[in-house]
Amino acid sequence: MKTIADILREHSFFEGVTREDLDFIAGCGKNIHFDEKQNVAKPGDNADEFYLIRHGKVALILEDSNHKPFIFQTVSDNEILGLCWLIPPYRWTVTAKVIEPVRAIAIN
């Protein structure tokens, strides 16, 4: 069975990161599951972790009261979701809704 560190080592997002740093990052990670139609996040939520999507799909949706919701991106297998944690004020600005059940690693 692969550890979180093993999975991170194989992912292109972490290419060039030292083994020691990956082990540290893996210690901040946890396996997580989201069901279909579940919100991962909505505008205003704290952006204090990001997700390495292992399997499944998440729609990123722009919403406002004057327009119909608009899916502008779909994130799926082996992609990263939630890089809002990099940019102040560290809050989600879009809705992230699961469209196919998701297995991911959440990194805080």
Side-chain angles (χ1 to χ4, degrees):
M1 178 179 214
K2 289 184 181 181
T3 66
I4 290 176
D6 293 333
I7 294 164
L8 297 184
R9 273 186 206 91
E10 294 172 358
H11 197 276
S12 61
F13 183 78
F14 297 98
E15 187 174 320
V17 177
T18 67
R19 185 181 228 10
E20 181 179 279
D21 288 342
L22 270 176
D23 288 341
F24 177 79
I25 294 166
C28 300
K30 64 183 175 187
N31 285 303
I32 194 163
H33 176 268
F34 294 103
D35 294 321
E36 188 173 347
K37 298 184 181 178
Q38 184 176 357
N39 281 347
V40 175
K42 59 188 184 315
D45 285 353
N46 286 330
D48 52 9
E49 58 188 7
F50 71 99
Y51 306 91
L52 169 65
I53 305 298
R54 298 188 65 208
H55 301 284
K57 287 187 182 175
V58 178
L60 298 179
I61 305 166
L62 288 172
E63 301 181 82
D64 73 37
S65 58
N66 299 320
H67 299 89
K68 188 174 162 183
F70 173 73
I71 296 174
F72 69 93
Q73 183 178 3
T74 302
V75 182
S76 60
D77 298 7
N78 296 314
E79 293 184 309
I80 299 292
L81 171 68
L83 295 179
C84 303
W85 63 272
L86 288 171
I87 304 163
Y90 313 108
R91 299 221 178 263
W92 282 83
T93 57
V94 300
T95 299
K97 183 179 278 299
V98 176
I99 53 178
E100 288 180 10
V102 167
R103 286 188 347 206
I105 295 173
I107 300 174
N108 185 311

